[in-house]
Amino acid sequence: MENFFSIDDVTDLQELLQKALKVKADPLANSKLGKHRTLGLIFYNSSLRTRISSQKAAYNLGMDVITLNIGSDGWALESKDGVVMDQGTAEHIKDAAAVISEYVDVIGIRCFAGLKDREEDYLEGVLQNFIKHATVPIINLESSTLHPLQSLADLVTIETNKNKPKPKVVLTWAPHPRSLPQAVANSFVEWMKEADVELVITHPKGYDLSSKFSNGVTVEYDQNKAFEGADFIYAKNWSSYTSYGEILSKDTAWCVDESKMQLTNNAKFMHCLPVRRNVIVTDGVIDSENSLVIEQAGNRVVSIQTVLQEFLSK
Ligand code: SN0
């Protein structure tokens, strides 16, 4: 693995999953692997789980961590090639990526979608520029269109909680007051397509994900129907891909509540967090025995530690 930008960087998903399960079982098994090596974390946006789980995973491997919050304490970075930099950006990613590579051994970057220009977001300029100009591996900590560390944690969570070989996994859109990226949903779909699950996506009309991700996946516009027989309900809001970045619906009927969970096969509930309680999901569901959200967040240490190990043992 050269970088961890998307599932395309994973040569054997089953093998990676087995490695992740080993990390989960014994997180300190490789506590010296990262000695004298440093993980650099670059944040353009807020983070709770990603920041802390990345740091924890690095410590489990004996690494040091340096964090830079570009949004608040770094120079504004330019991501377009060949521009005359006489406006707001002070430094080009070309230079920043090469310089940061002098200081750290692996770089993790979070940079959310702007949700204004679809083409620009889906070109992934920031992450791709870092990949191009850094001389150390790059880890995607949620880019404009993808959140692969979340998906790997989700895969581990499903693997360790399923009670049949091929569970039915339903990704359901749910309402949200703000316009959110498609990243978590895109990645989840991309990873579940490669996993041993029956995947169904349900959302209101107008919320279809890019066909790059949803191709070959069953989309059911009737949420109740989609929930029938489900073993896992994965809730997430995303803004429209087709009417890019727009909120087309705030229909509270899509909130995951106890009566909808009754339609399932006693399904487990998942969400990547942060979650708007009683908008996306009712307290009754997220606080129930069937909720996996805390364990799922715990598995974020497992997912980044598995990826870091790949780079450190190269
Ligand atoms: C981000 C998203 O991509 O949807 C990060 C999820 C891991 N979520 C949010 O920005 C939610 C913010 C809010 O106001 O609820």
Side-chain angles (χ1 to χ4, degrees), residues 282-303:
T282 59
D283 284 335
V285 171
I286 197 172
D287 293 330
S288 76
E289 270 184 4
N290 283 21
S291 174
L292 296 178
V293 295
I294 304 303
E295 182 181 339
Q296 193 183 348
N299 284 333
R300 291 296 308 278
V301 177
V302 176
S303 67

Side-chain angles (χ1 to χ4, degrees), residues 42-45 109-114 124 126-127 140-146:
I42 301 175
F43 289 98
Y44 284 72
N45 312 91
I109 304 162
R110 160 163 289 193
C111 186
F112 289 174
E124 293 280 9
V126 170
L127 267 284
N140 186 342
L141 306 178
E142 187 174 343
S143 64
S144 307
T145 71
L146 299 166

Side-chain angles (χ1 to χ4, degrees), residues 7 48 86 89 104 125 127 140-141 148 200 214 225 256 288 302 306:
I7 197 168
L48 186 152
D86 59 358
T89 51
V104 304
L127 267 284
N140 186 342
L141 306 178
V200 174
S214 62
K225 221 167 145 196
V256 178
S288 76
V302 176
T306 306

Side-chain angles (χ1 to χ4, degrees), residues 5 39 58 78 104 111 115 131 150 152 155 163 205 207:
F5 172 69
L39 170 65
E78 180 58 52
V104 304
C111 186
L115 296 175
I131 288 170
Q150 182 63 52
L152 177 53
L155 180 61
N163 43 29
K205 294 261 162 72
Y207 278 98

Side-chain angles (χ1 to χ4, degrees), residues 9-308:
D9 294 305
V10 179
T11 32
D12 186 334
L13 185 60
Q14 276 311 315
E15 192 186 304
L16 190 73
L17 175 59
Q18 292 312 315
K19 286 178 182 171
L21 295 174
K22 273 194 180 168
V23 169
K24 189 173 166 74
D26 189 2
L28 298 176
N30 291 306
S31 61
K32 295 201 170 67
L33 185 65
K35 200 169 177 226
H36 299 314
R37 303 226 239 163
T38 304
L39 170 65
L41 297 174
I42 301 175
F43 289 98
Y44 284 72
N45 312 91
S46 308
S47 169
L48 186 152
R49 275 146 295 278
T50 299
R51 184 182 297 253
I52 301 178
S53 64
S54 302
Q55 201 155 337
K56 177 67 180 174
Y59 292 165
N60 284 347
L61 293 167
M63 298 181 87
D64 291 315
V65 180
I66 298 175
T67 302
L68 176 66
N69 302 309
I70 289 277
S72 55
D73 38 56
W75 298 110
L77 298 183
E78 180 58 52
S79 62
K80 294 199 181 75
D81 275 334
V83 291
V84 179
M85 287 172 54
D86 59 358
Q87 299 294 313
T89 51
E91 180 162 13
H92 203 283
I93 287 185
K94 274 186 193 183
D95 305 312
V99 169
I100 296 167
S101 304
E102 296 285 307
Y103 308 144
V104 304
D105 303 281
V106 181
I107 303 174
I109 304 162
R110 160 163 289 193
C111 186
F112 289 174
L115 296 175
K116 299 269 180 286
D117 182 334
R118 182 169 88 180
E119 206 177 321
E120 191 177 306
D121 284 347
Y122 276 72
L123 278 174
E124 293 280 9
V126 170
L127 267 284
Q128 287 306 331
N129 258 296
F130 265 98
I131 288 170
K132 193 163 160 202
H133 300 290
T135 54
V136 299
I138 297 293
I139 300 180
N140 186 342
L141 306 178
E142 187 174 343
S143 64
S144 307
T145 71
L146 299 166
H147 195 1
L149 284 175
Q150 182 63 52
S151 310
L152 177 53
D154 298 338
L155 180 61
V156 170
T157 309
I158 289 171
E159 182 65 26
T160 51
N161 284 283
K162 67 182 187 185
N163 43 29
K164 62 165 76 129
K166 201 179 163 90
K168 178 177 176 183
V169 175
V170 177
L171 169 65
T172 180
W173 179 93
H176 196 284
R178 291 179 53 218
S179 169
L180 297 189
Q182 294 105 34
V184 171
N186 285 344
S187 276
F188 185 71
V189 169
E190 193 165 61
W191 285 67
M192 286 303 124
K193 275 161 85 169
E194 300 292 319
D196 228 354
V197 304
E198 180 199 340
L199 177 65
V200 174
I201 309 176
T202 182
H203 54 69
K205 294 261 162 72
Y207 278 98
D208 294 85
L209 297 169
S210 159
S211 60
K212 177 175 187 272
F213 301 99
S214 62
N215 251 344
V217 182
T218 307
V219 177
E220 171 57 67
Y221 296 101
D222 180 340
Q223 193 189 33
N224 288 342
K225 221 167 145 196
F227 272 44
E228 282 169 19
D231 299 296
F232 292 88
I233 297 296
Y234 193 108
K236 181 73 186 85
N237 170 269
W238 60 90
S239 60
S240 175
Y241 172 76
T242 37
S243 306
Y244 194 64
E246 282 180 33
I247 298 174
L248 304 177
S249 166
K250 287 191 181 176
D251 188 354
T252 53
W254 280 78
C255 175
V256 178
D257 63 11
E258 291 88 327
S259 67
K260 258 173 239 165
M261 291 300 282
Q262 288 294 324
L263 302 169
T264 69
N265 179 31
N266 194 25
K268 305 287 189 194
F269 176 81
M270 296 175 71
H271 187 282
C272 63
L273 306 182
V275 71
R276 302 288 187 124
R277 281 174 174 252
N278 304 308
V279 179
I280 296 263
V281 56
T282 59
D283 284 335
V285 171
I286 197 172
D287 293 330
S288 76
E289 270 184 4
N290 283 21
S291 174
L292 296 178
V293 295
I294 304 303
E295 182 181 339
Q296 193 183 348
N299 284 333
R300 291 296 308 278
V301 177
V302 176
S303 67
I304 186 154
Q305 192 171 330
T306 306
V307 171
L308 284 171

